[in-house]
Structure formats: C-alpha cells, structure tokens
Amino acid sequence: MPSKSRIKQAPTKPTARPKSTKRSKAQIATIKARFLSHYPQAKTELIYRNIYELLVCVMLSAQCTDKRVNLVTPALFARYPSVQALAQANVEEVKELIKSISFFNNKAKHLCQMAKQVLEQFGGEIPTTQAELKSLAGVGQKTANVVLLEYCQANVMAVDTHVFRVSHRLALSNAKTPEKTEQDLEKAFVTDLSALHQAFVLFGRYVCKALKPQCANCFVREFCLKGEKA
C-alpha cells in the first residue's frame, strides 16, 4: 500500500467568483437609455420644501410608503418647522405626531437626536456629504444617498427595496446586500445615477411590483429574468 505522502490527489479548481452582472455593456446601455427616456426628470414623491424636511421625510420613509409619510409630515413640520425647533422637541410629542409610521418609536428618538447633532456639530446646517450625513442618528448609507441625489443631484446610487428588486430581476446584480448592489449599479452605469435611482424607484413601485408585476407594461421585459420565464 503506497504511503500517504506518495498519493497524488487531483488538483482542485478554484471556485469561480460569481459575476456582479450578467449583462453586456451594450445591454446595460440599452436598459439605461430606456429608463432615462421613460422617466425624464424623475423625482421623489416625498413632499418637502428644504433639505431639513427632505432628510426628515427620508428617515421616516424607511420601511414605510411615501404616501403614508406625506400624510404625517404636514402636522410634524407645522409643529417643528426647523431643525432648531426639532432639537427642542419632546420625544413623546414627536411619537404622537408620527405614530402611524412604521417603527415610530425609534424614528422619533432618531429625529430628535439627529436635530441636536446638527446644531451641535454642524452649526444648524444639514450637512451635504455622505460621511457627515451618516454620522447623524438614524441615517444610513441609503438615506444619506437619497438626500444627496435628490437635493444635490449628486452622482450616487441609493438602493431601497424597489431598486434592489428591479436590479436583480434585470440581472444587473446578484449581490445579497443593498450595499453590494449599490456598488454593482454604480460600476455598471457610472453616470446619471441619481436619475436612474429615481426611475428605478418609480418603475418598481408602479410596474415591477413585488407581487403581481405589470409585465405587459414593461419596457425592459426582454432583459428581465422573471419576464424571460413568463
């Protein structure tokens, strides 16, 4: 019986790393052009008048519909019209004003803490860089990027549930997390990221729905993994 040291084992092949996208550059360019054409000058459906109100709206919109947020914010902004006013707010009063919003307890605490941070660390001005926005309570990368792309027209991508679903159905990403999906989309599209984010959100909200997607009204169906199986 040969010794173990002489037994030759077949070399193992390195595991192939899955590609971040299954689409060619030409396909990506076509998808991009169609979205920009179908949703020219797309903007958020959240109602706001300034960057303070936008930040509050986006923070409230996490795992909640824009429609619900828009029902709540008029009374909230009437009571707290500025970041200075919100910094002086009683958390329980904020909770009462936003109680129909999902996770209102935590969101109320984050709103009040965020306002105090803006006063103490940024002189009462909402910051306009990703790192500074993310330093605020309740503000993650998606929230920061939505504020930047909506208010500053920054060339960044934000991945919410709609963008995540659409990008995966179109095989633009197979990443498991929003952060990795964001990287895939930024690498694929490079430019017009803010406009594409807005377009993907509207498309996911009204056409490429999680349940019962409106495939008959889809202008990119030939690229869709779900559509290809339909």
Side-chain angles (χ1 to χ4, degrees), residues 1 15 21 24 45 59 73 81 84 103 110 123 129 137-138 189 191 193 198:
M1 182 176 180
T15 303
T21 176
S24 67
E45 293 185 315
M59 290 175 68
T73 50
Q84 289 80 5
F103 306 105
H110 287 155
T129 70
F189 292 122
T191 61
L193 298 177
Q198 306 285 24

Side-chain angles (χ1 to χ4, degrees), residues 120-189:
E120 295 169 0
Q121 300 172 21
F122 301 103
E125 299 291 331
I126 304 295
T128 54
T129 70
Q130 186 191 78
E132 289 173 332
L133 283 168
K134 287 174 65 176
S135 72
L136 301 174
V139 180
Q141 183 150 315
K142 187 211 78 174
T143 297
N145 282 3
V146 170
V147 171
L148 293 174
L149 67 86
E150 170 67 23
Y151 197 80
C152 305
Q153 289 76 54
N155 187 48
V156 294
M157 176 60 68
V159 177
D160 66 358
T161 182
H162 299 299
V163 176
F164 189 88
R165 179 173 65 256
V166 170
S167 60
H168 282 69
R169 285 181 177 175
L170 294 178
L172 293 167
S173 175
N174 60 9
K176 302 296 184 182
T177 66
E179 292 76 16
K180 292 293 185 181
T181 301
E182 176 188 314
Q183 293 174 13
D184 287 344
L185 294 176
E186 289 182 345
K187 183 178 180 180
F189 292 122

